[in-house]
Amino acid sequence: MGDELRVAYYVFDEDHAEKVAAMLDAAPMVASTYRIPSLMVTGERRFDQKDPYATPERKPVRLKQLRLLAARARADVLVVVDYGYEVTKKANGWTAFGAAAFVPLLFVPWLDVEVKSYVDSYVIDVRNGFLYGHLSTEDEGEETQQTVHSDADQTLIEGQLKELLGQTGVLLAKLVTDERNRLKEAAPSTEDAPLAQTAP
């Protein structure tokens, strides 16, 4: 790894590509970034209509293809980012109160909301495919006594993503620093090299 890195990145969830880009751009050792578009990998266009009730078709993403696209962008490092979250809503004790008092559940805080999120990032050498590291972060949180109109789940999702990307940026900086130190230690020292002999 050089002093400055040219980074190509691919995000499985295009909706959050800009936030990933901001995280990478903020890293002190990153000189430039290039986002590999889904169109080049899966054929998915930017404004393709998606059926919210359909099961998404998972098209295989080939690492060799991503490395080739990164190489064409003259990148040194490829970062592949996978982000996901899970929302769980459970009824609490207010459900019984609403039923007993004949109060519509639309106005009763009868839901407890739990959100679990993760960000997995893979840092790969573009030239030889060497995996420098797998950076994994996860978070979970809960908001109790919410009504059906509450957007507490979205607030938790956005807050967790921001936190996880911040942690990923710190881990990435540490990974690069450790790799550079390792390469310096492995490099032969000029002090140990034999002195060149001059011809008489």
Side-chain angles (χ1 to χ4, degrees):
M1 288 188 178
D3 294 334
E4 292 185 333
L5 294 178
R6 292 167 295 183
V7 177
Y9 64 97
Y10 178 75
V11 185
F12 283 93
D13 189 344
E14 283 283 301
D15 293 339
H16 301 90
E18 292 184 2
K19 294 179 181 178
V20 172
M23 179 269 293
L24 293 172
D25 288 334
M29 66 288 184
V30 174
S32 63
T33 58
Y34 168 73
R35 180 175 67 87
I36 299 175
S38 292
L39 177 65
M40 303 295 291
V41 181
T42 64
E44 181 180 341
R45 301 172 62 194
R46 183 182 301 183
F47 295 123
D48 276 347
Q49 297 296 321
K50 299 179 181 179
D51 184 354
Y53 301 103
T55 302
E57 180 182 355
R58 300 295 182 186
K59 297 181 180 179
V61 175
R62 294 180 293 129
L63 179 58
K64 184 177 180 180
Q65 180 186 14
L66 292 179
R67 284 178 53 207
L68 178 61
L69 293 170
R72 288 177 176 172
R74 299 185 178 181
D76 305 304
V77 173
L78 168 66
V79 178
V80 182
V81 180
D82 179 30
Y83 161 67
Y85 61 86
E86 180 182 60
V87 179
T88 305
K89 297 183 178 182
K90 299 179 180 179
N92 56 34
W94 279 93
T95 307
F97 171 81
F102 298 102
V103 177
L105 291 181
L106 291 175
F107 308 103
V108 175
W110 63 281
L111 284 174
D112 293 340
V113 180
E114 181 181 8
V115 175
K116 297 181 181 180
S117 304
Y118 73 88
V119 172
D120 283 337
S121 304
Y122 302 85
V123 185
I124 301 163
D125 191 292
V126 172
R127 294 173 180 82
N128 57 27
F130 178 76
L131 177 64
Y132 288 115
H134 170 205
L135 313 178
S136 182
T137 58
E138 57 185 34
D139 194 9
E140 60 181 87
E142 184 180 19
E143 290 289 346
T144 60
Q145 300 181 2
Q146 303 296 310
T147 68
V148 294
H149 303 291
S150 172
D151 60 354
D153 53 342
Q154 291 301 318
T155 301
L156 285 171
I157 290 168
E158 293 173 5
Q160 289 178 7
L161 177 58
K162 181 178 180 180
E163 177 67 21
L164 294 179
L165 287 178
Q167 294 176 17
T168 300
V170 173
L171 292 175
L172 178 61
K174 182 179 185 304
L175 175 70
V176 173
T177 300
D178 291 346
E179 181 63 20
R180 286 174 176 167
N181 291 337
R182 185 188 69 80
L183 292 175
K184 288 180 181 178
E185 293 174 359
S189 173
T190 56
E191 297 178 358
D192 298 334
L195 295 176
Q197 296 182 354
T198 57

